[in-house]
Amino acid sequence: EAGVTQSPTHLIKTRGQQATLRCSPISGHTSVYWYQQALGLGLQFLLWYDEGEERNRGNFPPRFSGRQFPNYSSELNVNALELEDSALYLCASRRKWAAGDEDNYGYTFGSGTRLTVV
Amino acid sequence: DQQVKQNSPSLSVQEGRISILNCDYTNSMFDYFLWYKKYPAEGPTFLISISSIKDKNEDGRFTVFLNKSAKHLSLHIVPSQPGDSAVYFCAASDGQNFVFGPGTRLSVLP
């Protein structure tokens, strides 16, 4: 079973530009989560998509946005890049949640995209 | 306001001894808890989980303990091995949303 794949693995952008990060979930998984891990910090929740809709977003400005496609893959877009946006961006996927299905709680992470803003 | 806290940013343990990583949460709606391990430049990998109906779950060298009244959980690794050196994240879920703690960096010294 292929895992969660993210592309590109590394991305270098100039301040003010836009970045697009992509995530392909595990086959059969309908939920995609995006997290930011800045240097020395924990995992900060960015966005949650499920069945093509945004279900929740973390405490990030509107220039962080995304979408989920019919095949459940997802894009994260960061507009007007700032130096402090430099971080590891992680995507995770999960099967559709079902009450009582304990095995369904955990999700699987990709290896991340390292975004560097210069 | 952090809903999931890991108050020790780092921990050093001698090889062969026990490693104890702690996690506290504030939201009583959380009913499922997970531990993830992360190496540099890799995504976190799932280690072990526990639901709120249990107070202990074991998987090999890893045991997670949950104290619901204290809103506290801990991960015990015994015996600790150098390959266990990584950042450990505690996560809590209410079934839909996941909240991660800031992580604890474990260093197992040979």
Side-chain angles (χ1 to χ4, degrees):
Chain A
E1 176 184 77
V4 177
T5 57
Q6 291 187 245
S7 62
T9 52
H10 292 85
L11 188 58
I12 300 175
K13 291 285 188 178
T14 305
R15 188 171 52 185
Q17 285 188 315
Q18 180 201 42
T20 299
L21 289 66
R22 296 180 177 84
C23 172
S24 292
I26 289 174
S27 177
H29 285 195
T30 60
S31 278
V32 170
Y33 299 76
W34 287 94
Y35 286 85
Q36 181 198 65
Q37 187 186 20
L39 191 61
L41 297 179
L43 299 173
Q44 306 295 318
F45 168 69
L46 266 165
L47 289 158
W48 169 30
Y49 291 96
D50 182 57
E51 305 260 12
E53 293 197 13
E54 182 180 303
R55 301 295 186 181
N56 199 8
R57 73 178 284 127
N59 189 24
F60 279 83
R63 56 192 188 81
F64 287 83
S65 65
R67 54 181 171 166
Q68 186 179 35
F69 299 99
N71 66 353
Y72 304 117
S73 66
S74 177
E75 255 180 22
L76 172 69
N77 296 295
V78 188
N79 293 319
L81 284 165
E82 300 178 3
L83 297 178
E84 51 265 34
D85 297 333
S86 295
L88 179 67
Y89 289 83
L90 291 160
C91 168
S93 74
R94 190 186 66 167
R95 289 200 316 261
K96 189 172 182 58
W97 177 79
D101 181 3
E102 282 196 4
D103 287 343
N104 201 28
Y105 275 86
Y107 44 42
T108 305
F109 282 88
S111 296
T113 293
R114 170 71 62 187
L115 173 64
T116 303
V117 183
V118 297
Chain B
D1 179 36
Q2 272 192 330
Q3 295 188 69
V4 178
K5 302 175 186 179
Q6 293 177 257
N7 291 323
S8 298
S10 63
L11 175 69
S12 292
V13 170
Q14 209 68 35
E15 181 179 3
R17 307 293 288 268
I18 184 171
S19 295
I20 300 177
L21 296 95
N22 293 303
C23 177
D24 296 287
Y25 61 96
T26 57
N27 189 341
S28 58
M29 297 302 293
F30 291 144
D31 61 0
Y32 202 71
F33 305 90
L34 309 95
W35 284 94
Y36 283 81
K37 172 180 174 180
K38 185 180 184 300
Y39 293 116
E42 293 184 13
T45 55
F46 171 74
L47 260 182
I48 191 169
S49 62
I50 189 167
S51 79
S52 59
I53 62 172
K54 300 178 181 175
D55 55 18
K56 178 182 174 181
N57 189 25
E58 275 183 273
D59 184 2
R61 298 186 295 114
F62 302 90
T63 303
V64 56
F65 295 92
L66 175 63
N67 182 334
K68 278 188 65 181
S69 60
K71 293 191 177 68
H72 175 84
L73 64 154
S74 60
L75 173 68
H76 292 209
I77 306 173
V78 56
S80 302
Q81 299 173 354
D84 296 330
S85 297
V87 176
Y88 289 79
F89 291 98
C90 166
S93 175
D94 59 6
Q96 295 288 336
N97 298 302
F98 283 79
V99 180
F100 281 82
T104 296
R105 181 177 299 280
L106 174 66
S107 299
V108 180
L109 310 172

